[in-house]
Amino acid sequence: MASKVIHAIYTDDDLLLQAVKQVREARYHIGEIYTPFPVHGLDKAMGLAPTRLAITSFMYGVVGFTVAVVMMNYMMIEDWPMDIGGKPSFSFLQNMPAFVPIMFELTVFFAAHLMVITFFLRSKLWPFKAAENPDVRTTDDHFLMEIEVANHNTKDLTDFLYQTGASEIKLIDNK
Amino acid sequence: MYTLSSKLKLFSIILMAVGLIGLAIGFIVAPSTIEEVKEMVASHDGHGESHAAPGQIKSDLSEDPDQGLEFVPSEHEVQTGRTDDNQTQLGTNVDDHENEHYEHILHQLQNKPWAALYVAAFFFFMIPLGVLVFYAIQWASQSGWSPVLFRVMEGITSYLLPGGVIIFVLLVLSGLHLNHLFIWMDPEVVENDAIIRNKSGYLNVPFFLIRAAIYIAGWAIFRHFLVKNSNRLDEAEPNDLYYFKKNFKLAAGFLVFFIVTESMMSWDWIMSLDPHWFSTLFGWYVFASMFVSGITMIALVSIYLKSRGFLPFVNDSHIHDLAKFMFGISIFWTYLWFSQFMLIWYSNIPEEVTYFVSRIEDYGILFFGMVVLNFLFPVLLLMNSDFKRVNWFVVMTGLVILLGHYIDIYVMVMPATVGESWFIGLSEISSLLFFGGLFIFVVFTSLTKAPLLARRNPFIKESEHFHY
């Protein structure tokens, strides 16, 4: 069955934030919001769950640290424990200070890069991806709120959105 | 307006009294003759074994291959700076040698209560100094979040002058040869030591005391005017920003003055305890320690006052910001600690590495334990954004950080003054209690002198509504 959505366009971020609060209070369901720049407090107003990206980053950092330790331990201590300039390669701990710069960099490298890749995967971003913005003006100076019509009365919903200060309201048929 | 509760007053006075008594006992118990040292060593049977004459370390080590597990290859352990005087006398007969060993321990034990006093005095002095730097940075950077905490910072920095005077008195007493904390002050040592003799243009008692007076007076004067202007700003007309601009310039001037004097202060008061050793990033290292302790103290005092209902305008976001600073500067401290350690460990040049050899050999648990306290704890506990808003979490981490930085100062001072005879006992804890009590008394008394909200600061509105 084809679902219908309403695209309400706002020209001001304060107005948008206000509208989001009113729409949620009226218990209409917001699908997506497209903005040209980050609007502070929008995620809170929409009631979005906080991101867990930082947690993944921490875990990737732990992985990077482990990789560095295992790698240095294998190469410098177990495989070929050579005497290089008198450095004590009898055990990992003895020669550890020399490995710390590598341990640090690999931790940062893994934490940063894997987190970015996670971000790309989770937000479905990659080269040659078809752009999804429903109205080109949302990348410049317009804010677009998408509300699912579901079984609400279209007329009531339109009137309500008009009251919240929308400058343009369109009914879209999703095929 | 904050009023000092009688309980807190009594508490701080009790701390001071108990600390004073403990310190007095510490000074009385310290041995005054070699015979007493011999008795003490004999009564700790078996304990004396591990503290064998430094001159014997060489043979001990060559018999024990397990010692190779130390960080530093064992052949370098022989050349610690502390054994210089013994090594020059190796040819003499056994009795002389033994007496010399006991004399060595006697000096260390006599230094112990002095060094304990010095460590605690410096530790509590560097906290208000770190806070003053933080305070000046807030003025110079025109921060919008921190003006609600200005009066707390001003209160903590009130300990700067009394703490500085105490340090100065201790330095004068060292200069009068009442203790042997700074061996370069001993004319006999200087005469026999070409390295120290060559440094005597900088390291001589009158110049040393003049410099100390300049640092302490300079900091105290800057502090005095910064706080005075801040209070005057409260009385000013609503749009009169004269004192605000004045403090902005004063704070910038202080920061320039501070970074020069702090660096020299760290050479004078701490690095000169090991006059054969030097490190170029030492000033920064000491600075990081005082900065993070200062910020931690701001957080602790703010949380305490807030819990008593005196800071209703301080919200979790302010605490969150302070906790971020505690977290970040802890990492900064570790960075400097490691940079100093690793560069010296890596090149392993004998005249530099002795500093760390003596610390790892005799102070291993403290030396590496403080890295756990100052780095691992803050990093793991304060990494989570939510935890930085939980007050008891910040308090707990703050106490760990303060303990860690006390140990940091301890490990900077003790190896040069008491060597392997260290022990965290009566003198150390008593001096901590005494200065802790004095610190609480001075700081909280001064907090009663001005309203806890700087009303006319142009950023105060922004600060009150600060939200992160």
Side-chain angles (χ1 to χ4, degrees), chain B residues 315-356:
Chain B
N315 58 41
D316 284 350
S317 294
H318 294 111
I319 304 299
H320 187 138
D321 261 31
L322 285 171
K324 269 192 283 192
F325 271 106
M326 285 160 61
F327 173 77
I329 309 295
S330 284
I331 294 174
F332 178 64
W333 174 88
T334 315
Y335 167 65
L336 292 175
W337 176 86
F338 182 72
S339 301
Q340 177 166 293
F341 172 68
M342 196 264 253
L343 285 179
I344 289 174
W345 173 86
Y346 210 112
S347 58
N348 206 10
I349 303 172
E351 71 261 28
E352 283 181 356
V353 87
T354 50
Y355 184 82
F356 287 112

mmCIF file of all heavy atoms in Angstrom, chain B residues 315-356:
data_model
loop_
_atom_site.group_PDB
_atom_site.id
_atom_site.type_symbol
_atom_site.label_atom_id
_atom_site.label_comp_id
_atom_site.label_asym_id
_atom_site.label_seq_id
_atom_site.Cartn_x
_atom_site.Cartn_y
_atom_site.Cartn_z
ATOM 1 N N ASN B 315 26.222 24.312 37.930
ATOM 2 C CA ASN B 315 25.473 23.117 37.537
ATOM 3 C C ASN B 315 26.411 22.002 37.103
ATOM 4 O O ASN B 315 27.632 22.155 37.131
ATOM 5 C CB ASN B 315 24.463 23.469 36.438
ATOM 6 C CG ASN B 315 25.130 24.072 35.223
ATOM 7 O OD1 ASN B 315 26.187 23.620 34.815
ATOM 8 N ND2 ASN B 315 24.516 25.100 34.659
ATOM 9 N N ASP B 316 25.813 20.889 36.702
ATOM 10 C CA ASP B 316 26.629 19.726 36.344
ATOM 11 C C ASP B 316 27.551 20.008 35.172
ATOM 12 O O ASP B 316 28.603 19.391 35.042
ATOM 13 C CB ASP B 316 25.714 18.544 35.995
ATOM 14 C CG ASP B 316 25.135 17.920 37.242
ATOM 15 O OD1 ASP B 316 25.597 18.281 38.338
ATOM 16 O OD2 ASP B 316 24.228 17.090 37.115
ATOM 17 N N SER B 317 27.146 20.944 34.304
ATOM 18 C CA SER B 317 27.996 21.234 33.150
ATOM 19 C C SER B 317 29.314 21.872 33.577
ATOM 20 O O SER B 317 30.346 21.633 32.956
ATOM 21 C CB SER B 317 27.271 22.163 32.186
ATOM 22 O OG SER B 317 26.167 21.508 31.635
ATOM 23 N N HIS B 318 29.272 22.692 34.623
ATOM 24 C CA HIS B 318 30.520 23.270 35.122
ATOM 25 C C HIS B 318 31.434 22.169 35.654
ATOM 26 O O HIS B 318 32.635 22.157 35.386
ATOM 27 C CB HIS B 318 30.240 24.290 36.227
ATOM 28 C CG HIS B 318 29.502 25.502 35.760
ATOM 29 N ND1 HIS B 318 28.202 25.758 36.138
ATOM 30 C CD2 HIS B 318 29.871 26.515 34.939
ATOM 31 C CE1 HIS B 318 27.817 26.893 35.567
ATOM 32 N NE2 HIS B 318 28.796 27.355 34.830
ATOM 33 N N ILE B 319 30.829 21.254 36.419
ATOM 34 C CA ILE B 319 31.622 20.153 36.957
ATOM 35 C C ILE B 319 32.159 19.306 35.805
ATOM 36 O O ILE B 319 33.322 18.876 35.802
ATOM 37 C CB ILE B 319 30.760 19.279 37.894
ATOM 38 C CG1 ILE B 319 30.157 20.140 39.008
ATOM 39 C CG2 ILE B 319 31.567 18.138 38.477
ATOM 40 C CD1 ILE B 319 31.162 20.807 39.896
ATOM 41 N N HIS B 320 31.310 19.123 34.807
ATOM 42 C CA HIS B 320 31.717 18.358 33.628
ATOM 43 C C HIS B 320 32.951 18.991 32.974
ATOM 44 O O HIS B 320 33.906 18.302 32.629
ATOM 45 C CB HIS B 320 30.540 18.337 32.639
ATOM 46 C CG HIS B 320 30.756 17.458 31.450
ATOM 47 N ND1 HIS B 320 29.778 16.646 30.955
ATOM 48 C CD2 HIS B 320 31.826 17.275 30.662
ATOM 49 C CE1 HIS B 320 30.252 15.978 29.920
ATOM 50 N NE2 HIS B 320 31.494 16.353 29.709
ATOM 51 N N ASP B 321 32.930 20.319 32.849
ATOM 52 C CA ASP B 321 34.075 20.995 32.228
ATOM 53 C C ASP B 321 35.335 20.841 33.065
ATOM 54 O O ASP B 321 36.416 20.588 32.534
ATOM 55 C CB ASP B 321 33.759 22.484 32.041
ATOM 56 C CG ASP B 321 33.312 22.762 30.618
ATOM 57 O OD1 ASP B 321 32.709 21.851 30.027
ATOM 58 O OD2 ASP B 321 33.573 23.859 30.109
ATOM 59 N N LEU B 322 35.180 20.998 34.382
ATOM 60 C CA LEU B 322 36.352 20.817 35.244
ATOM 61 C C LEU B 322 36.890 19.397 35.118
ATOM 62 O O LEU B 322 38.102 19.182 35.051
ATOM 63 C CB LEU B 322 35.980 21.109 36.695
ATOM 64 C CG LEU B 322 35.803 22.583 37.046
ATOM 65 C CD1 LEU B 322 35.237 22.708 38.441
ATOM 66 C CD2 LEU B 322 37.134 23.311 36.956
ATOM 67 N N ALA B 323 35.981 18.438 35.066
ATOM 68 C CA ALA B 323 36.410 17.041 34.960
ATOM 69 C C ALA B 323 37.121 16.796 33.633
ATOM 70 O O ALA B 323 38.077 16.034 33.570
ATOM 71 C CB ALA B 323 35.218 16.105 35.105
ATOM 72 N N LYS B 324 36.669 17.489 32.590
ATOM 73 C CA LYS B 324 37.368 17.360 31.303
ATOM 74 C C LYS B 324 38.793 17.877 31.422
ATOM 75 O O LYS B 324 39.723 17.299 30.871
ATOM 76 C CB LYS B 324 36.622 18.167 30.226
ATOM 77 C CG LYS B 324 35.579 17.364 29.499
ATOM 78 C CD LYS B 324 35.093 18.097 28.266
ATOM 79 C CE LYS B 324 34.137 19.191 28.614
ATOM 80 N NZ LYS B 324 33.427 19.762 27.472
ATOM 81 N N PHE B 325 38.934 18.999 32.143
ATOM 82 C CA PHE B 325 40.283 19.528 32.340
ATOM 83 C C PHE B 325 41.133 18.567 33.157
ATOM 84 O O PHE B 325 42.303 18.335 32.848
ATOM 85 C CB PHE B 325 40.230 20.893 33.038
ATOM 86 C CG PHE B 325 40.126 22.041 32.076
ATOM 87 C CD1 PHE B 325 38.941 22.725 31.915
ATOM 88 C CD2 PHE B 325 41.219 22.429 31.332
ATOM 89 C CE1 PHE B 325 38.843 23.774 31.028
ATOM 90 C CE2 PHE B 325 41.128 23.487 30.443
ATOM 91 C CZ PHE B 325 39.941 24.160 30.291
ATOM 92 N N MET B 326 40.528 17.990 34.219
ATOM 93 C CA MET B 326 41.280 17.020 35.021
ATOM 94 C C MET B 326 41.755 15.869 34.139
ATOM 95 O O MET B 326 42.903 15.424 34.222
ATOM 96 C CB MET B 326 40.388 16.457 36.129
ATOM 97 C CG MET B 326 40.153 17.396 37.284
ATOM 98 S SD MET B 326 38.680 16.948 38.235
ATOM 99 C CE MET B 326 39.063 15.326 38.816
ATOM 100 N N PHE B 327 40.859 15.408 33.297
ATOM 101 C CA PHE B 327 41.160 14.295 32.389
ATOM 102 C C PHE B 327 42.283 14.690 31.426
ATOM 103 O O PHE B 327 43.306 14.004 31.313
ATOM 104 C CB PHE B 327 39.866 13.963 31.643
ATOM 105 C CG PHE B 327 39.997 12.947 30.546
ATOM 106 C CD1 PHE B 327 40.100 11.607 30.859
ATOM 107 C CD2 PHE B 327 39.964 13.328 29.224
ATOM 108 C CE1 PHE B 327 40.199 10.665 29.854
ATOM 109 C CE2 PHE B 327 40.067 12.389 28.218
ATOM 110 C CZ PHE B 327 40.183 11.056 28.529
ATOM 111 N N GLY B 328 42.095 15.834 30.769
ATOM 112 C CA GLY B 328 43.060 16.236 29.744
ATOM 113 C C GLY B 328 44.428 16.535 30.319
ATOM 114 O O GLY B 328 45.452 16.114 29.770
ATOM 115 N N ILE B 329 44.469 17.261 31.446
ATOM 116 C CA ILE B 329 45.773 17.642 31.991
ATOM 117 C C ILE B 329 46.456 16.440 32.628
ATOM 118 O O ILE B 329 47.680 16.365 32.679
ATOM 119 C CB ILE B 329 45.645 18.813 32.980
ATOM 120 C CG1 ILE B 329 44.838 19.957 32.338
ATOM 121 C CG2 ILE B 329 46.998 19.341 33.386
ATOM 122 C CD1 ILE B 329 45.487 20.604 31.150
ATOM 123 N N SER B 330 45.665 15.462 33.101
ATOM 124 C CA SER B 330 46.287 14.226 33.589
ATOM 125 C C SER B 330 47.043 13.549 32.460
ATOM 126 O O SER B 330 48.155 13.042 32.653
ATOM 127 C CB SER B 330 45.226 13.256 34.118
ATOM 128 O OG SER B 330 44.765 13.671 35.364
ATOM 129 N N ILE B 331 46.442 13.543 31.281
ATOM 130 C CA ILE B 331 47.106 12.927 30.137
ATOM 131 C C ILE B 331 48.331 13.753 29.751
ATOM 132 O O ILE B 331 49.380 13.215 29.420
ATOM 133 C CB ILE B 331 46.122 12.788 28.960
ATOM 134 C CG1 ILE B 331 45.041 11.791 29.345
ATOM 135 C CG2 ILE B 331 46.837 12.334 27.703
ATOM 136 C CD1 ILE B 331 43.941 11.685 28.337
ATOM 137 N N PHE B 332 48.193 15.072 29.845
ATOM 138 C CA PHE B 332 49.321 15.952 29.555
ATOM 139 C C PHE B 332 50.489 15.669 30.505
ATOM 140 O O PHE B 332 51.643 15.584 30.098
ATOM 141 C CB PHE B 332 48.869 17.407 29.672
ATOM 142 C CG PHE B 332 49.950 18.424 29.447
ATOM 143 C CD1 PHE B 332 50.568 18.524 28.218
ATOM 144 C CD2 PHE B 332 50.342 19.285 30.454
ATOM 145 C CE1 PHE B 332 51.566 19.461 28.002
ATOM 146 C CE2 PHE B 332 51.331 20.220 30.254
ATOM 147 C CZ PHE B 332 51.946 20.306 29.022
ATOM 148 N N TRP B 333 50.156 15.504 31.787
ATOM 149 C CA TRP B 333 51.199 15.174 32.764
ATOM 150 C C TRP B 333 51.894 13.875 32.376
ATOM 151 O O TRP B 333 53.117 13.771 32.398
ATOM 152 C CB TRP B 333 50.580 15.051 34.168
ATOM 153 C CG TRP B 333 51.581 14.586 35.174
ATOM 154 C CD1 TRP B 333 52.425 15.370 35.906
ATOM 155 C CD2 TRP B 333 51.879 13.233 35.528
ATOM 156 N NE1 TRP B 333 53.223 14.588 36.690
ATOM 157 C CE2 TRP B 333 52.908 13.280 36.481
ATOM 158 C CE3 TRP B 333 51.380 12.002 35.138
ATOM 159 C CZ2 TRP B 333 53.443 12.130 37.044
ATOM 160 C CZ3 TRP B 333 51.913 10.855 35.697
ATOM 161 C CH2 TRP B 333 52.938 10.919 36.636
ATOM 162 N N THR B 334 51.076 12.869 32.020
ATOM 163 C CA THR B 334 51.652 11.569 31.677
ATOM 164 C C THR B 334 52.553 11.691 30.457
ATOM 165 O O THR B 334 53.609 11.067 30.381
ATOM 166 C CB THR B 334 50.531 10.567 31.377
ATOM 167 O OG1 THR B 334 49.546 10.694 32.366
ATOM 168 C CG2 THR B 334 51.067 9.169 31.340
ATOM 169 N N TYR B 335 52.116 12.502 29.517
ATOM 170 C CA TYR B 335 52.905 12.728 28.307
ATOM 171 C C TYR B 335 54.283 13.272 28.670
ATOM 172 O O TYR B 335 55.304 12.802 28.170
ATOM 173 C CB TYR B 335 52.128 13.695 27.404
ATOM 174 C CG TYR B 335 52.901 14.292 26.272
ATOM 175 C CD1 TYR B 335 53.384 13.505 25.244
ATOM 176 C CD2 TYR B 335 53.151 15.650 26.229
ATOM 177 C CE1 TYR B 335 54.103 14.066 24.203
ATOM 178 C CE2 TYR B 335 53.860 16.212 25.197
ATOM 179 C CZ TYR B 335 54.338 15.417 24.187
ATOM 180 O OH TYR B 335 55.046 15.978 23.175
ATOM 181 N N LEU B 336 54.298 14.251 29.581
ATOM 182 C CA LEU B 336 55.578 14.829 29.962
ATOM 183 C C LEU B 336 56.397 13.849 30.795
ATOM 184 O O LEU B 336 57.602 13.724 30.621
ATOM 185 C CB LEU B 336 55.352 16.129 30.738
ATOM 186 C CG LEU B 336 54.774 17.249 29.889
ATOM 187 C CD1 LEU B 336 54.473 18.451 30.754
ATOM 188 C CD2 LEU B 336 55.723 17.634 28.786
ATOM 189 N N TRP B 337 55.720 13.160 31.707
ATOM 190 C CA TRP B 337 56.423 12.158 32.523
ATOM 191 C C TRP B 337 57.094 11.152 31.613
ATOM 192 O O TRP B 337 58.271 10.825 31.757
ATOM 193 C CB TRP B 337 55.427 11.444 33.447
ATOM 194 C CG TRP B 337 56.061 10.349 34.236
ATOM 195 C CD1 TRP B 337 56.711 10.472 35.424
ATOM 196 C CD2 TRP B 337 56.148 8.963 33.865
ATOM 197 N NE1 TRP B 337 57.194 9.249 35.824
ATOM 198 C CE2 TRP B 337 56.864 8.303 34.892
ATOM 199 C CE3 TRP B 337 55.699 8.206 32.785
ATOM 200 C CZ2 TRP B 337 57.127 6.940 34.865
ATOM 201 C CZ3 TRP B 337 55.965 6.853 32.761
ATOM 202 C CH2 TRP B 337 56.677 6.227 33.792
ATOM 203 N N PHE B 338 56.332 10.649 30.647
ATOM 204 C CA PHE B 338 56.869 9.625 29.776
ATOM 205 C C PHE B 338 57.955 10.195 28.872
ATOM 206 O O PHE B 338 58.977 9.543 28.636
ATOM 207 C CB PHE B 338 55.753 8.984 28.945
ATOM 208 C CG PHE B 338 56.271 7.890 28.062
ATOM 209 C CD1 PHE B 338 56.668 6.691 28.619
ATOM 210 C CD2 PHE B 338 56.401 8.068 26.707
ATOM 211 C CE1 PHE B 338 57.184 5.695 27.829
ATOM 212 C CE2 PHE B 338 56.922 7.074 25.912
ATOM 213 C CZ PHE B 338 57.313 5.878 26.476
ATOM 214 N N SER B 339 57.752 11.403 28.362
ATOM 215 C CA SER B 339 58.758 11.983 27.483
ATOM 216 C C SER B 339 60.089 12.116 28.216
ATOM 217 O O SER B 339 61.146 11.805 27.679
ATOM 218 C CB SER B 339 58.321 13.365 27.002
ATOM 219 O OG SER B 339 57.112 13.266 26.321
ATOM 220 N N GLN B 340 60.012 12.584 29.455
ATOM 221 C CA GLN B 340 61.239 12.750 30.208
ATOM 222 C C GLN B 340 61.882 11.400 30.478
ATOM 223 O O GLN B 340 63.081 11.207 30.274
ATOM 224 C CB GLN B 340 60.929 13.468 31.526
ATOM 225 C CG GLN B 340 62.139 13.615 32.415
ATOM 226 C CD GLN B 340 61.879 14.600 33.530
ATOM 227 O OE1 GLN B 340 61.719 15.784 33.321
ATOM 228 N NE2 GLN B 340 61.834 14.105 34.738
ATOM 229 N N PHE B 341 61.049 10.450 30.907
ATOM 230 C CA PHE B 341 61.572 9.137 31.247
ATOM 231 C C PHE B 341 62.129 8.428 30.020
ATOM 232 O O PHE B 341 63.241 7.917 30.021
ATOM 233 C CB PHE B 341 60.466 8.295 31.886
ATOM 234 C CG PHE B 341 60.852 6.860 32.098
ATOM 235 C CD1 PHE B 341 61.824 6.536 33.015
ATOM 236 C CD2 PHE B 341 60.258 5.852 31.357
ATOM 237 C CE1 PHE B 341 62.198 5.220 33.203
ATOM 238 C CE2 PHE B 341 60.629 4.543 31.534
ATOM 239 C CZ PHE B 341 61.608 4.223 32.454
ATOM 240 N N MET B 342 61.336 8.419 28.944
ATOM 241 C CA MET B 342 61.720 7.607 27.791
ATOM 242 C C MET B 342 62.956 8.158 27.106
ATOM 243 O O MET B 342 63.814 7.394 26.698
ATOM 244 C CB MET B 342 60.544 7.512 26.816
ATOM 245 C CG MET B 342 60.717 6.414 25.812
ATOM 246 S SD MET B 342 61.396 7.056 24.310
ATOM 247 C CE MET B 342 60.000 7.004 23.273
ATOM 248 N N LEU B 343 63.057 9.479 26.994
ATOM 249 C CA LEU B 343 64.244 10.031 26.330
ATOM 250 C C LEU B 343 65.511 9.667 27.082
ATOM 251 O O LEU B 343 66.533 9.343 26.478
ATOM 252 C CB LEU B 343 64.118 11.551 26.214
ATOM 253 C CG LEU B 343 63.140 12.010 25.145
ATOM 254 C CD1 LEU B 343 63.074 13.515 25.124
ATOM 255 C CD2 LEU B 343 63.551 11.488 23.785
ATOM 256 N N ILE B 344 65.413 9.702 28.428
ATOM 257 C CA ILE B 344 66.605 9.403 29.215
ATOM 258 C C ILE B 344 66.876 7.901 29.225
ATOM 259 O O ILE B 344 68.004 7.451 29.089
ATOM 260 C CB ILE B 344 66.445 9.996 30.631
ATOM 261 C CG1 ILE B 344 66.534 11.518 30.528
ATOM 262 C CG2 ILE B 344 67.497 9.449 31.558
ATOM 263 C CD1 ILE B 344 66.264 12.242 31.812
ATOM 264 N N TRP B 345 65.803 7.131 29.327
ATOM 265 C CA TRP B 345 65.952 5.662 29.298
ATOM 266 C C TRP B 345 66.543 5.208 27.969
ATOM 267 O O TRP B 345 67.407 4.350 27.916
ATOM 268 C CB TRP B 345 64.567 5.029 29.513
ATOM 269 C CG TRP B 345 64.545 3.550 29.332
ATOM 270 C CD1 TRP B 345 64.820 2.607 30.267
ATOM 271 C CD2 TRP B 345 64.214 2.842 28.122
ATOM 272 N NE1 TRP B 345 64.697 1.365 29.718
ATOM 273 C CE2 TRP B 345 64.327 1.474 28.411
ATOM 274 C CE3 TRP B 345 63.845 3.232 26.840
ATOM 275 C CZ2 TRP B 345 64.071 0.492 27.458
ATOM 276 C CZ3 TRP B 345 63.600 2.261 25.886
ATOM 277 C CH2 TRP B 345 63.705 0.911 26.198
ATOM 278 N N TYR B 346 66.080 5.808 26.893
ATOM 279 C CA TYR B 346 66.483 5.357 25.576
ATOM 280 C C TYR B 346 67.976 5.613 25.331
ATOM 281 O O TYR B 346 68.700 4.751 24.872
ATOM 282 C CB TYR B 346 65.645 6.067 24.502
ATOM 283 C CG TYR B 346 65.462 5.218 23.273
ATOM 284 C CD1 TYR B 346 64.218 4.721 22.946
ATOM 285 C CD2 TYR B 346 66.527 4.895 22.458
ATOM 286 C CE1 TYR B 346 64.045 3.914 21.846
ATOM 287 C CE2 TYR B 346 66.366 4.081 21.362
ATOM 288 C CZ TYR B 346 65.118 3.600 21.054
ATOM 289 O OH TYR B 346 64.953 2.789 19.976
ATOM 290 N N SER B 347 68.403 6.841 25.624
ATOM 291 C CA SER B 347 69.801 7.141 25.330
ATOM 292 C C SER B 347 70.709 6.586 26.404
ATOM 293 O O SER B 347 71.851 6.224 26.125
ATOM 294 C CB SER B 347 69.991 8.644 25.206
ATOM 295 O OG SER B 347 69.593 9.256 26.398
ATOM 296 N N ASN B 348 70.179 6.470 27.654
ATOM 297 C CA ASN B 348 70.910 5.781 28.709
ATOM 298 C C ASN B 348 72.299 6.369 28.938
ATOM 299 O O ASN B 348 73.273 5.651 29.115
ATOM 300 C CB ASN B 348 71.030 4.299 28.323
ATOM 301 C CG ASN B 348 71.178 3.427 29.541
ATOM 302 O OD1 ASN B 348 71.013 3.897 30.661
ATOM 303 N ND2 ASN B 348 71.488 2.173 29.338
ATOM 304 N N ILE B 349 72.399 7.690 28.920
ATOM 305 C CA ILE B 349 73.684 8.333 29.195
ATOM 306 C C ILE B 349 73.903 8.315 30.707
ATOM 307 O O ILE B 349 73.025 8.768 31.452
ATOM 308 C CB ILE B 349 73.691 9.794 28.691
ATOM 309 C CG1 ILE B 349 73.378 9.820 27.196
ATOM 310 C CG2 ILE B 349 75.010 10.466 28.971
ATOM 311 C CD1 ILE B 349 73.166 11.213 26.659
ATOM 312 N N PRO B 350 75.020 7.784 31.178
ATOM 313 C CA PRO B 350 75.173 7.556 32.621
ATOM 314 C C PRO B 350 74.855 8.767 33.482
ATOM 315 O O PRO B 350 74.193 8.627 34.515
ATOM 316 C CB PRO B 350 76.630 7.148 32.752
ATOM 317 C CG PRO B 350 76.966 6.544 31.439
ATOM 318 C CD PRO B 350 76.162 7.279 30.419
ATOM 319 N N GLU B 351 75.324 9.955 33.100
ATOM 320 C CA GLU B 351 75.122 11.082 34.014
ATOM 321 C C GLU B 351 73.660 11.518 34.083
ATOM 322 O O GLU B 351 73.264 12.206 35.014
ATOM 323 C CB GLU B 351 76.017 12.267 33.643
ATOM 324 C CG GLU B 351 75.635 13.005 32.379
ATOM 325 C CD GLU B 351 76.487 12.561 31.212
ATOM 326 O OE1 GLU B 351 76.947 11.404 31.223
ATOM 327 O OE2 GLU B 351 76.678 13.376 30.279
ATOM 328 N N GLU B 352 72.862 11.143 33.094
ATOM 329 C CA GLU B 352 71.444 11.487 33.166
ATOM 330 C C GLU B 352 70.638 10.370 33.793
ATOM 331 O O GLU B 352 69.689 10.603 34.527
ATOM 332 C CB GLU B 352 70.900 11.744 31.756
ATOM 333 C CG GLU B 352 71.288 13.079 31.181
ATOM 334 C CD GLU B 352 70.705 13.266 29.795
ATOM 335 O OE1 GLU B 352 70.073 12.331 29.280
ATOM 336 O OE2 GLU B 352 70.894 14.359 29.241
ATOM 337 N N VAL B 353 71.021 9.147 33.484
ATOM 338 C CA VAL B 353 70.144 8.025 33.809
ATOM 339 C C VAL B 353 70.169 7.687 35.291
ATOM 340 O O VAL B 353 69.252 7.057 35.796
ATOM 341 C CB VAL B 353 70.489 6.813 32.922
ATOM 342 C CG1 VAL B 353 71.594 5.979 33.538
ATOM 343 C CG2 VAL B 353 69.247 5.984 32.653
ATOM 344 N N THR B 354 71.190 8.154 36.016
ATOM 345 C CA THR B 354 71.242 7.848 37.443
ATOM 346 C C THR B 354 69.974 8.305 38.148
ATOM 347 O O THR B 354 69.521 7.675 39.087
ATOM 348 C CB THR B 354 72.423 8.554 38.120
ATOM 349 O OG1 THR B 354 72.367 9.922 37.752
ATOM 350 C CG2 THR B 354 73.722 7.949 37.703
ATOM 351 N N TYR B 355 69.424 9.413 37.659
ATOM 352 C CA TYR B 355 68.198 9.942 38.257
ATOM 353 C C TYR B 355 67.117 8.867 38.282
ATOM 354 O O TYR B 355 66.466 8.639 39.298
ATOM 355 C CB TYR B 355 67.735 11.140 37.429
ATOM 356 C CG TYR B 355 66.526 11.867 37.959
ATOM 357 C CD1 TYR B 355 66.656 12.813 38.962
ATOM 358 C CD2 TYR B 355 65.266 11.624 37.441
ATOM 359 C CE1 TYR B 355 65.561 13.501 39.432
ATOM 360 C CE2 TYR B 355 64.161 12.307 37.904
ATOM 361 C CZ TYR B 355 64.316 13.247 38.892
ATOM 362 O OH TYR B 355 63.215 13.925 39.354
ATOM 363 N N PHE B 356 66.928 8.207 37.147
ATOM 364 C CA PHE B 356 65.875 7.201 37.089
ATOM 365 C C PHE B 356 66.316 5.868 37.672
ATOM 366 O O PHE B 356 65.483 5.118 38.177
ATOM 367 C CB PHE B 356 65.391 7.030 35.648
ATOM 368 C CG PHE B 356 64.567 8.198 35.193
ATOM 369 C CD1 PHE B 356 65.026 9.057 34.229
ATOM 370 C CD2 PHE B 356 63.345 8.451 35.790
ATOM 371 C CE1 PHE B 356 64.270 10.153 33.846
ATOM 372 C CE2 PHE B 356 62.594 9.542 35.419
ATOM 373 C CZ PHE B 356 63.053 10.389 34.439
#
